[in-house]
Amino acid sequence: MTKPQGIAVLGATGSVGCNTLDVVARHPERYRVVALTAHRQLDKLFEQACRFRPDYLVVADADAAASLRERLADAGVSGEVLHGAGALEQVASLPEVDAVMAAIVGAAGLPSALAAARAGKRILLANKESLVVAGRLFIDAVRASGASLLPVDSEHSAIFQSLPADYAGDPEASGIRKIILTASGGPFRNKTMAELAGVGPDDACRHPNWSMGRKISVDSATLMNKGLEVIEAHWLFGVAPQRIEVVVHPQSVIHSMVQYRDGSVMAQLGSPDMRTPIACALAWPERIEAGVESLDFFSLSDLTFEKPDLQRFPCLRLAFDALAAGGDAPAVLNAANEVAVAAFLAGGLRFVDIPRVVAATLSGVSCTASDSLDGLLARDREARRFAEAEVAAC
Ligand code: NAD
Ligand code: MG
């Protein structure tokens, strides 16, 4: 029998992290959990540590680390407890780690995902913000180290599965006309502008098809999530923005498509369950059991398609604009969005002001290209400061 693969799950206590551990637990002979990380949810991390017995655990700060260390000692569970952002990079680069699930939310996930790329790991990428903030740097790091980059975002997994097996990043050479990203349209698809002005955080987090963390749920409601995914697709698949089309498909059965020159459209279908793209990325090119029910075609309702409404959901347009502007514009867009979404979730910003804060930040902060991680992180901080002032002024 071959040796199990060592896995580090960054953001283990989140929605993608928990789904990853659900799939991993089904295959103890294939995977060994080497490291688990969480920010502040110590109870959940403690439970996961008892179950998966990782060699390393990472938490946000020294106090959290001390408290977790004590609980683990009482429970007789070994494992080194580290803390801080540097420790995330450290566990992502360990020699005994073969694959890194990058499932931290936001730009906070970039340094550790990039460390995995630089260390030549198999990167299972859920943290789309890494590619939005640092697309060029990230892809160059993957190429330089020989790392492999497997998408976990369901749309990108669908595209990955619909591309030719030998796809080398050149759509023209592979006869590809378009990448079609499907979007559920989120919980507010049918709301008027006037209704959108009054929606609150819990309404936004009640997604019709997917159960996800709160930040991405709000992004799905504003369609910024789809905008971030357009930028993610650009970097993952080497496609120009003009070749990326967004189609609203409320049932979330078709997870995305590739349209070829000869008129063929290849699509990937399935139940809206993240364990499918997670299992696909974990085992590719093999297919493993993920605990997901088979799609029952006889119980499917109609599959419908609409154009996205950029008047009511301007965040999608802002993301296309930022991609076209290039340089650090996508990093600025992302930082402003994180600030605005956090303010909305905290009850300090109206839903309809999220795109306003993002647009103002994009016009107020310089977007000339940074060529290093430090430069990008400085730009991210500058954009956050600007966006915070915008939020305060709303
Ligand atoms: P979540 O909020 O449920 O979990 C986030 C995880 O990151 C938690 O473990 C948390 O402890 C950790 N974390 C948060 N802030 C951190 C910080 N500053 N430093 C270190 N760790 C931190 O989020 P999620 O819904 O699982 O999403 C994770 C990522 O995956 C996001 O980038 C999201 O866009 C992407 N994604 C999620 C889904 C989904 O179904 N949830 C689907 C596609 C892509
Ligand atoms: Mg997605």
Side-chain angles (χ1 to χ4, degrees), residues 189-213:
R189 184 170 58 90
N190 293 321
K191 289 226 183 298
T192 62
M193 264 324 252
E195 287 169 332
L196 287 177
V199 298
D202 289 340
D203 308 315
C205 291
R206 219 169 285 127
H207 195 278
N209 306 335
W210 300 90
S211 151
M212 310 180 288

Side-chain angles (χ1 to χ4, degrees), residues 143-155:
R143 292 216 180 106
S145 70
S148 38
L149 182 56
L150 292 135
V152 169
D153 215 346
S154 59
E155 295 77 2

Side-chain angles (χ1 to χ4, degrees), residues 290-312:
V292 178
E293 296 223 357
S294 294
L295 199 58
D296 175 8
F297 284 92
F298 301 108
S299 67
L300 280 184
S301 57
D302 292 341
L303 300 185
T304 59
F305 305 93
E306 301 162 15
K307 267 193 195 313
D309 180 344
L310 301 183
Q311 297 305 118
R312 284 182 302 138

Side-chain angles (χ1 to χ4, degrees), residues 102-124:
I104 290 173
V105 59
L110 168 61
S112 49
L114 190 61
R118 288 179 171 156
K121 303 300 184 195
R122 180 180 176 103
I123 307 152
L124 321 176

Side-chain angles (χ1 to χ4, degrees), residues 68-342:
L68 183 63
R69 235 174 250 129
E70 201 179 305
R71 287 177 70 178
L72 290 172
D74 288 348
V77 176
S78 59
E80 198 173 330
V81 182
L82 309 170
H83 68 270
L88 295 171
E89 295 180 52
Q90 186 188 333
V91 298
S93 325
L94 288 168
E96 61 270 42
V97 166
D98 301 296
V100 174
M101 167 55 80
I104 290 173
V105 59
L110 168 61
S112 49
L114 190 61
R118 288 179 171 156
K121 303 300 184 195
R122 180 180 176 103
I123 307 152
L124 321 176
L125 189 71
N127 178 257
K128 63 192 87 188
E129 294 92 343
S130 287
L131 283 178
V132 173
V133 175
R136 167 58 50 218
L137 198 73
F138 200 94
I139 295 296
D140 286 349
V142 167
R143 292 216 180 106
S145 70
S148 38
L149 182 56
L150 292 135
V152 169
D153 215 346
S154 59
E155 295 77 2
H156 304 74
S157 175
I159 293 161
F160 174 74
Q161 295 176 66
S162 303
L163 285 169
D166 60 355
Y167 183 69
D170 182 350
E172 201 51 40
S174 296
I176 292 163
R177 222 179 247 165
K178 257 190 218 166
I179 296 282
I180 302 168
L181 280 176
T182 53
S184 69
F188 304 148
R189 184 170 58 90
N190 293 321
K191 289 226 183 298
T192 62
M193 264 324 252
E195 287 169 332
L196 287 177
V199 298
D202 289 340
D203 308 315
C205 291
R206 219 169 285 127
H207 195 278
N209 306 335
W210 300 90
S211 151
M212 310 180 288
R214 283 172 82 76
K215 190 263 179 181
I216 186 178
S217 295
V218 176
D219 287 348
S220 299
T222 58
L223 288 201
M224 180 59 95
N225 183 50
K226 214 45 56 179
L228 301 179
E229 291 183 355
V230 167
I231 302 172
E232 183 185 13
H234 164 73
W235 290 112
L236 279 174
F237 307 119
V239 282
Q242 306 82 279
R243 280 188 202 260
I244 306 175
E245 186 169 55
V246 173
V247 173
V248 175
H249 165 48
Q251 298 80 15
S252 300
V253 168
I254 298 177
H255 296 142
S256 280
M257 307 179 251
V258 178
Q259 187 167 60
Y260 289 88
R261 188 183 286 147
D262 61 6
S264 293
V265 178
M266 304 296 289
Q268 185 262 359
L269 282 70
S271 307
D273 186 324
M274 283 305 291
R275 290 176 301 177
T276 297
I278 288 167
C280 181
L282 271 169
W284 187 263
E286 288 178 58
R287 299 283 185 170
I288 57 171
E289 180 57 54
V292 178
E293 296 223 357
S294 294
L295 199 58
D296 175 8
F297 284 92
F298 301 108
S299 67
L300 280 184
S301 57
D302 292 341
L303 300 185
T304 59
F305 305 93
E306 301 162 15
K307 267 193 195 313
D309 180 344
L310 301 183
Q311 297 305 118
R312 284 182 302 138
F313 303 105
C315 284
L316 178 56
R317 182 177 42 76
L318 291 170
F320 267 108
D321 290 349
L323 180 56
D328 287 356
V332 170
L333 168 101
N334 179 71
N337 181 58
E338 287 192 30
V339 168
V341 169

